[in-house]
Amino acid sequence: MNHTDVANLDWRSLGLKVGHEVHYQLRTRRKLFCRCPAEFRHREPDYEVLRHMRPTLSELGEYDGTALMEFKTKKNVRYQLYADIDCTYEMDDTPPFPINGEALDIALRIGLLLNLNIVDEMHISRKQYLDGSIPTGFQRTAIIGVEGWVPFRGRKLGIIQLGLEEDACREVSDVGHDIVYRADRLGFPLVEVVTDATMHTPEEASAGARLIWRLLRSTGQVRTGPGAGRQDVNVSINGSTRVEIKGVPDTGLIRRLVAVEAFRQQQLLAIRDELRARGVSPESLKLESRELDRATVLGTGSPYLRRAADAGESVAAVRLAGFAGLLNRVIEPGLEFGYEFSERVRVIACLDRMPNIIYRGGSDEGLTDEDWGVIRELVNCGVNDEAVLAWGPAPDLRTAVNEIHLRAVDAAAGVPSETRQPHPDGTTGFERILPGPDRMYPDTDSPPTAISRERLDEIRKALPEPAWRTEERFRALGLPEDVAQSLVFSPRRGLFEKLTAGPGADPKLLGVALEQWSRWLSRQGFAVRQLSDEALAGLFERYRKGGFGREAIVHLMRGLCRGGALDALLAARGLGEVITGRKLETLAAAALKGATPDYAREPEACWRFLMGRAMRELRGRAQGRDVAAAVRKLAGR
């Protein structure tokens, strides 16, 4: 099984449904609920705070399942803080300030661009986060608008809601029971755009996310750079539950992630059906485990078990009734079903030294058939049963054994509702149980905020053109699709609009030069972004007046990046006017002197040879199409 096999699935018959939650930090001066600067820090922190998280009851007197799962990890959570950008509010020692008005106005502007129905009164809620990423244990969040849409491939892509919330800390490390967060981005204003689940192929899912991403970027009021924007991708197929792929940093990964997740869910449903055929149900599975004595452990040839015994750790075997052979089934490219059990143990029991479990046919190095016979007998395994070994400190091992059992129960039910971490190769790993409604409750520290009609009217007056309309306008000017899309949020968009408004402008050339050629030069190491709009405007104005051919533009841009003056660069290349007519034919003839290709034998190769000879002398001094015409005339073609 590889990625090619996954990509060839029939998405319609699978009933694939994908929706997005697109998050973007807003470009504001201050944080959302305090007056600290919204700035990153890259120096060593000023101080550190240690905390432990525990769940609280919801308004209905119930615990959220995710909160209970996180509590089982028993994490020591350390926060790295800075005296100049962090305050007592973020440590939950001070009530929140009124919401940042600048951030609210930006969110309202985005809501109007998304055709949302803006709420009359904004209410702040608390959303529990016990993974430690927010010191308070909850995130303050508010709904700004509901039931919007954006045009998408001849139809409307529904926008369920737009939220305004505070960002979490960024993770520094997570090893065992110790996790470290840096609190510089904590409290940054963040918008969350939630789409409906009406994207039905991986390619559609990728395109839908890019559309929302471009619209947000086009406002010029969201941050850019690593971590500023990220997507949660919700995936399901017929017969499965919703699975959330959390924090996808790049829309380019979405196509592969969705395809692999759909395949994973298909395989999990097949495993469920096989278990049903074997008479296994969630209710029939009982936790059956036994701790191995030291003599049994040392009697095996497994280096992992022997190392655990030498470290004073315990080893246990868990019986999975009816699971024989299923843990070896491939559910993601390069990953077996047993990986799902290993991930639960890694995340919840905090046993993160791999491998952390052993089963037949998996990472069972050193275990002989005789060893497995002894182990299986200890937990009363029958022919259709599987035994899984785990090891670690006694408290963690108890958690691990329980999680192995719970994952087996989930397997008998089908596809568990989970939040999963994306990997660069398109596979995913377990992160936590998918949160439910019990994690949300009102924030009694924050009063409602009225959103007046007058405020919305003022924002409407300054609304930019919607990104999709700008793209349509750029496409009508002849720009390639990728240029039309990237130019919408490009810092050179204003320059492009100014230059194309003038007489004699070539919009396609300008767009390609400002976007495609600039990106190519950046990849070559040239600081194109540091070029001023004035320098580029001067370059294109000289081109418009006939100072050189289009082939010279890239070379001149390279020279400007190196600090050269335009006049000096033109003089060094002998540029100043575009050569045409008889003068061009004379120079072309001189360039081709002595060239005697055999057109009859290899006409295309000869043509490329002659054009190469001519362009070597005339590139930038004449337009390429004129050089081609002169070469054809001289060659008698």
Side-chain angles (χ1 to χ4, degrees):
M1 170 54 59
N2 55 42
H3 286 285
T4 301
D5 298 325
V6 169
N8 291 329
L9 292 174
D10 184 345
W11 309 115
R12 297 291 176 180
S13 65
L14 279 177
L16 177 63
K17 293 190 291 186
V18 183
H20 295 301
E21 300 167 27
V22 181
H23 304 81
Y24 246 110
Q25 294 172 349
L26 302 182
R27 194 187 300 276
T28 60
R29 295 182 299 275
R30 304 288 179 184
K31 295 185 178 182
L32 190 58
F33 288 107
C34 68
R35 298 300 174 257
C36 294
E39 300 173 2
F40 285 102
R41 291 290 180 268
H42 301 287
R43 56 179 169 81
E44 287 298 307
D46 297 319
Y47 48 94
E48 186 175 274
V49 171
L50 170 66
R51 285 206 166 165
H52 299 93
M53 297 292 178
R54 64 176 182 269
T56 58
L57 291 169
S58 72
E59 293 293 297
L60 298 178
E62 297 176 351
Y63 287 110
D64 176 62
T66 303
L68 292 175
M69 187 220 83
E70 296 287 1
F71 184 59
K72 287 192 287 186
T73 65
K74 301 179 178 64
K75 290 283 189 181
N76 303 309
V77 188
R78 288 181 167 81
Y79 299 100
Q80 298 178 344
L81 304 166
Y82 296 89
D84 57 338
I85 59 170
D86 295 312
C87 68
T88 52
Y89 159 72
E90 289 151 331
M91 292 296 107
D92 202 25
D93 291 328
T94 301
F97 285 69
I99 196 166
N100 183 330
E102 180 188 13
L104 179 55
D105 282 345
I106 295 173
L108 291 171
R109 185 174 295 112
I110 291 170
L112 292 172
L113 287 171
L114 293 170
N115 299 299
L116 287 161
N117 297 306
I118 305 299
V119 299
D120 296 324
E121 193 172 72
M122 183 187 65
H123 292 259
I124 309 297
S125 297
R126 296 181 181 183
K127 185 190 299 182
Q128 279 194 6
Y129 274 95
L130 289 194
D131 61 354
S133 60
I134 301 180
T136 58
F138 59 84
Q139 177 190 55
R140 285 187 168 91
T141 180
I143 293 176
I144 300 299
V146 297
E147 297 179 350
W149 59 271
V150 291
F152 179 63
R153 300 189 167 187
R155 61 182 177 88
K156 292 181 178 180
L157 176 62
I159 307 298
I160 296 174
Q161 67 183 45
L162 172 71
L164 175 61
E165 53 196 30
E166 54 188 346
D167 207 349
C169 298
R170 53 189 175 114
E171 185 180 306
V172 176
S173 65
D174 183 5
V175 180
H177 290 282
D178 295 296
I179 189 166
V180 179
Y181 289 104
R182 185 157 291 184
D184 51 358
R185 83 173 189 190
L186 176 63
F188 276 28
L190 185 81
V191 288
E192 179 191 47
V193 180
V194 182
T195 76
D196 61 20
T198 56
M199 289 159 278
H200 300 294
T201 69
E203 193 277 329
E204 268 194 349
S206 179
R210 290 198 305 272
L211 172 62
I212 303 299
W213 183 82
R214 292 198 305 274
L215 185 143
L216 294 175
R217 288 282 301 273
S218 72
T219 65
Q221 294 184 304
V222 298
R223 293 176 182 266
T224 58
R230 46 202 186 270
Q231 292 79 222
D232 299 341
V233 184
N234 296 291
V235 183
S236 67
I237 64 172
N238 290 335
S240 77
T241 57
R242 176 172 69 95
V243 172
E244 178 187 64
I245 305 174
K246 184 77 171 177
V248 180
D250 182 358
T251 56
L253 290 173
I254 290 176
R255 187 170 184 170
R256 178 174 290 183
L257 285 166
V258 168
V260 171
E261 177 56 29
F263 175 78
R264 172 181 166 272
Q265 293 183 22
Q266 181 191 49
Q267 297 308 305
L268 291 179
L269 291 175
I271 289 171
R272 178 204 62 186
D273 294 343
E274 177 64 24
L275 288 170
R276 286 179 177 176
R278 298 179 183 183
V280 179
S281 68
E283 296 75 23
S284 70
L285 288 168
K286 308 301 179 185
L287 176 55
E288 300 176 72
S289 67
R290 182 167 176 179
E291 189 171 323
L292 277 62
D293 59 44
R294 182 176 176 83
T296 301
V297 172
L298 294 178
T300 71
S302 170
Y304 310 120
L305 301 185
R306 295 173 70 91
R307 185 165 56 233
D310 291 341
E313 296 178 343
S314 302
V315 179
V318 184
R319 175 185 174 231
L320 301 182
F323 275 74
L326 294 180
L327 271 62
N328 305 114
R329 180 171 294 188
V330 174
I331 61 168
E332 299 182 67
L335 297 174
E336 297 178 339
F337 182 41
Y339 170 72
E340 300 264 322
F341 292 79
S342 174
E343 282 288 278
R344 287 282 185 98
V345 170
R346 178 185 67 83
V347 173
I348 301 177
C350 297
L351 296 174
D352 50 14
R353 184 174 181 177
M354 296 292 123
N356 56 9
I357 64 171
I358 293 176
Y359 53 90
R360 288 186 302 173
S363 299
D364 58 353
E365 178 184 342
L367 286 177
T368 64
D369 290 342
E370 183 179 351
D371 292 333
W372 276 117
V374 172
I375 293 165
R376 290 171 60 82
E377 185 176 348
L378 284 173
V379 287
N380 301 314
C381 277
V383 174
N384 289 327
D385 303 336
E386 190 61 82
V388 178
L389 293 171
W391 56 93
D396 296 338
L397 182 59
R398 286 194 293 271
T399 302
V401 166
N402 190 55
E403 289 306 316
I404 291 170
H405 167 69
L406 291 176
R407 185 61 189 87
V409 172
D410 285 342
V415 179
S417 295
E418 296 175 340
T419 295
R420 299 183 65 80
Q421 297 173 326
H423 298 155
D425 64 353
T427 61
T428 58
F430 176 78
E431 183 172 277
R432 60 174 179 256
I433 303 298
L434 196 64
D438 294 325
R439 72 189 299 212
M440 296 281 289
Y441 54 98
D443 179 28
T444 53
D445 288 333
S446 300
T449 300
I451 299 176
S452 67
R453 184 176 298 275
E454 291 75 21
R455 185 174 194 168
L456 289 177
D457 288 342
E458 284 300 311
I459 292 173
R460 281 194 182 94
K461 291 178 184 177
L463 275 184
E465 180 181 50
W468 58 85
R469 289 183 188 159
T470 307
E471 289 177 13
E472 290 174 0
R473 183 161 53 83
F474 287 169
R475 282 192 289 268
L477 292 174
L479 271 61
E481 183 67 23
D482 66 313
V483 174
Q485 291 182 359
S486 64
L487 196 56
V488 169
F489 55 84
S490 169
R492 302 294 188 190
R493 174 179 167 179
L495 175 62
F496 174 82
E497 300 269 24
K498 178 181 177 181
L499 294 176
T500 52
D506 183 343
K508 183 176 180 180
L509 172 64
L510 288 168
V512 168
L514 291 173
E515 291 299 303
Q516 289 182 349
W517 295 353
S518 291
R519 286 197 296 269
W520 181 81
L521 287 170
S522 293
R523 288 194 293 269
Q524 306 303 311
F526 292 94
V528 182
R529 292 185 179 182
Q530 295 181 14
L531 287 180
S532 67
D533 282 357
E534 290 74 17
L536 289 170
L539 172 68
F540 291 117
E541 178 63 15
R542 293 290 284 272
Y543 168 77
R544 187 185 67 81
K545 291 180 177 179
F548 46 86
R550 62 181 291 158
E551 288 77 12
I553 293 176
V554 170
H555 301 283
L556 292 171
M557 289 174 69
R558 186 186 292 123
L560 291 173
C561 289
R562 288 172 172 155
L566 182 57
D567 287 337
L569 294 170
L570 293 173
R573 287 184 166 270
L575 303 176
E577 63 174 343
V578 175
I579 302 170
T580 59
R582 190 174 298 278
K583 184 177 181 180
L584 173 59
E585 291 181 10
T586 301
L587 291 173
L592 300 182
K593 187 176 181 180
T596 56
D598 186 350
Y599 274 109
R601 295 183 61 184
E602 297 184 56
E604 289 304 318
C606 291
W607 169 249
R608 290 194 298 270
F609 168 74
L610 292 175
M611 276 298 293
R613 285 276 296 263
M615 290 301 292
R616 190 181 306 139
E617 299 296 328
L618 295 168
R619 179 172 282 107
R621 301 169 65 191
Q623 299 289 11
R625 61 178 180 273
D626 295 336
V627 176
V631 170
R632 286 192 181 94
K633 183 176 180 180
L634 291 167
R637 295 189 69 192

